[in-house]
Amino acid sequence: ADSEKSLVPLSITLPCLCFRSWLQEAREFCTSTFYIFLVSTKKDLIVDDVEEYKVKEKRAAQFAESFEAEYWSTSSRTGENVEELFSRIASVTFERVMKSEIEATNAIQETTSQLAQNSSLIRLKSPPKSKRPKKPSCCNR
């Protein structure tokens, strides 16, 4: 059981320099903004030393915050926070897609409106109702 505890990635053994470098490259080469989720696993293995767990959780949250990331502590064995994490990812993705669609629709409407205002095309308008010819009485049936 003691050897299992040493496998817990909450100790942030991830080489920070590699992550920083990867994130810098991602931000440099990605054409759109993206969200970062720092996810720790095997939360269920840290049950003996609650104080150590709190310290590691705090460090992990601070690490995530330094990269403007969301931090999630999960356990695939117990399922703790797994569904919530995926729901959060789906929610963020859905919100982003909807905002993009709204922005695209607004841009199209704005462009169409500008084109119509600047157009030299002939516009046909319906005559006002009072000036429309009356239908013969034979057609009112």
Side-chain angles (χ1 to χ4, degrees):
D2 288 336
S3 63
E4 286 181 45
K5 290 181 189 173
S6 65
L7 298 174
V8 177
L10 275 175
S11 61
I12 309 293
T13 56
L14 171 71
C16 293
L17 293 176
C18 291
F19 182 75
R20 289 179 203 279
S21 174
W22 172 85
L23 186 57
Q24 183 179 356
E25 284 184 28
R27 286 184 171 146
E28 184 179 331
F29 293 107
C30 285
T31 57
S32 60
T33 58
F34 53 88
Y35 296 95
I36 305 165
F37 294 89
L38 178 64
V39 181
S40 70
T41 60
K42 304 191 186 304
K43 181 177 181 178
D44 55 285
L45 295 181
I46 305 181
V47 290
D48 295 338
D49 193 346
V50 175
E51 289 306 312
E52 179 185 353
Y53 173 76
K54 287 180 182 179
V55 169
K56 289 180 179 183
E57 280 282 295
K58 186 175 180 178
R59 285 180 51 210
Q62 289 171 339
F63 182 77
E65 189 177 314
S66 72
F67 292 104
E68 299 174 359
E70 286 188 30
Y71 173 69
W72 288 80
S73 180
T74 65
S75 168
S76 55
R77 181 201 283 167
T78 66
E80 185 177 355
N81 287 334
V82 173
E83 188 173 328
E84 292 84 351
L85 169 64
F86 281 98
S87 292
R88 175 66 179 145
I89 293 170
S91 173
V92 167
T93 303
F94 179 76
E95 180 181 4
R96 182 173 179 160
V97 168
M98 294 306 296
K99 282 182 178 179
S100 294
E101 287 296 317
I102 290 169
E103 289 171 2
T105 301
N106 289 343
I108 289 170
Q109 288 174 348
E110 192 175 299
T111 302
T112 304
S113 176
Q114 288 174 354
L115 286 173
Q117 290 174 358
N118 299 331
S119 176
S120 61
L121 295 174
I122 298 172
R123 291 187 185 88
L124 299 176
K125 295 182 180 179
S126 309
K129 287 186 178 183
S130 62
K131 294 185 179 182
R132 289 186 185 165
K134 292 184 178 182
K135 293 181 184 178
S137 59
C138 67
C139 299
N140 287 338
R141 295 181 197 167

